[in-house]
Amino acid sequence: MIKNYFFAFLLLFVFQSGLSQTEKLINGKVLHEQFPVEKVEVVNFSSKKVAVTNAAGQFFIIVKAGDELIFISKDHDIKKIALDQKTIDKNNLPISLILKPEELEEVVITKIPSIKLGTDKAYEQGKLDQLAVEKSARSLKTGVYNGSIENGMDLMRIGGMILKLFIKEKEVVKEAPQIEFKQLARNSYDEKFYHLTLKLKPDQIELFLEFCDADPKSKTVAESNNVLTVMDFLFAKNIEFKKL
């Protein structure tokens, strides 16, 4: 009789151990300061399964005990968590992300030189006339026009200067098309580089490029469009990727 109880207990223990290793679909919610965050990529680093949060910040993904989840968002810091059976059994995984600090664009301050009259009075008077026209073109004139010309400036010369100002204001500066870092990295190096040089597995390459693209510095690297800069950035990010 005792042997039968022992045998039944052993079967129950084995059965429960098998269940603990069974994959399970769990749900979670990604938040930032109590607000839901959508379009966050939830990557199961162990099984390579990927899910994306919806507008409510919710996600569903298949996991098992011991798996690691990585949360990737362009506007937030990358987060990694390890799952145990207790967390999986709760089936409600709250994740809080931290917003990345904004990078200020470079501001160039140019000192405007003071105007000093030199010996060439005609040239210096021309500069004063140009400043006067630019100032008058930007200010609203009031009162009654009496037909006089300030500082004795030539009418044809004033007309030409004002015309240049209007033409300059209408010029449209075309922005260069933005280059995505992932596409630049793909075009710059083939699969052998990622596999042999960076020692990445084939199924890790796309995840690695997503990891690089999530770094705000990737935008600056992409704008430089320099092969050596891209290579240095990839080597640096590869070290961080291997630590995940």
Side-chain angles (χ1 to χ4, degrees):
M1 188 70 177
I2 297 176
K3 290 183 179 180
N4 291 337
Y5 279 117
F6 177 76
F7 183 71
F9 176 78
L10 182 62
L11 286 178
L12 180 62
F13 176 77
V14 172
F15 178 71
Q16 289 180 341
S17 299
L19 285 178
S20 65
Q21 297 301 322
T22 304
E23 291 184 334
K24 181 179 179 180
L25 180 67
I26 66 168
N27 71 83
K29 192 169 187 179
V30 179
L31 302 171
H32 168 64
E33 295 183 352
Q34 305 304 317
F35 291 98
V37 185
E38 63 175 328
K39 296 181 180 180
V40 177
E41 293 188 17
V42 184
V43 182
N44 187 328
F45 193 73
S46 303
S47 66
K48 303 302 182 292
K49 291 183 175 65
V50 180
V52 180
T53 59
N54 58 21
Q58 294 179 324
F59 67 90
F60 299 87
I61 191 168
I62 296 176
V63 298
K64 65 178 183 300
D67 284 353
E68 290 183 334
L69 295 183
I70 301 176
F71 298 83
I72 302 175
S73 170
K74 283 186 174 292
D75 300 323
H76 303 82
D77 289 336
I78 292 176
K79 187 165 187 174
K80 182 181 72 171
I81 64 169
L83 298 175
D84 54 21
Q85 192 62 42
K86 184 178 180 181
T87 303
I88 295 174
D89 292 339
K90 287 183 179 179
N91 197 21
N92 184 14
L93 188 61
I95 300 297
S96 178
L97 297 184
I98 300 175
L99 195 65
K100 291 178 181 177
E102 295 184 3
E103 292 189 354
L104 299 178
E105 296 182 357
E106 182 180 1
V107 178
V108 179
I109 301 176
T110 304
K111 183 179 180 181
I112 301 176
S114 59
I115 299 177
K116 297 181 180 180
L117 295 177
T119 55
D120 190 346
K121 294 184 179 181
Y123 173 73
E124 299 296 343
Q125 185 60 46
K127 290 198 294 183
L128 293 175
D129 291 346
Q130 184 176 358
L131 288 175
V133 171
E134 291 177 355
K135 182 178 180 180
S136 62
R138 289 174 171 80
S139 61
L140 180 64
K141 296 289 185 179
T142 59
V144 180
Y145 175 64
N146 58 12
S148 62
I149 301 175
E150 296 181 2
N151 299 326
M153 294 184 290
D154 181 69
L155 185 61
M156 293 297 292
R157 180 160 51 87
I158 295 174
M161 293 167 64
I162 293 178
L163 180 60
K164 289 181 181 179
L165 288 176
F166 279 110
I167 293 175
K168 184 177 181 180
E169 290 179 357
K170 291 182 179 180
E171 289 180 353
V172 178
V173 179
K174 295 183 178 179
E175 296 183 356
Q178 293 184 349
I179 302 175
E180 291 189 1
F181 176 80
K182 287 198 300 182
Q183 187 62 36
L184 177 61
R186 281 288 192 186
N187 295 339
S188 300
Y189 304 100
D190 56 14
E191 297 286 336
K192 291 183 179 180
F193 170 78
Y194 296 99
H195 180 59
L196 300 178
T197 304
L198 297 185
K199 306 298 182 183
L200 294 172
K201 296 179 181 179
D203 57 351
Q204 290 181 324
I205 295 176
E206 188 62 29
L207 180 61
F208 171 68
L209 292 178
E210 289 285 352
F211 176 75
C212 295
D213 194 57
D215 192 328
K217 293 180 181 179
S218 64
K219 182 179 179 182
T220 305
V221 175
E223 290 176 351
S224 69
N225 199 12
N226 184 285
V227 178
L228 294 178
T229 304
V230 174
M231 180 182 291
D232 290 341
F233 182 72
L234 289 174
F235 275 117
K237 297 303 292 183
N238 188 41
I239 296 174
E240 298 179 15
F241 184 77
K242 293 294 178 59
K243 293 179 180 179
L244 292 176

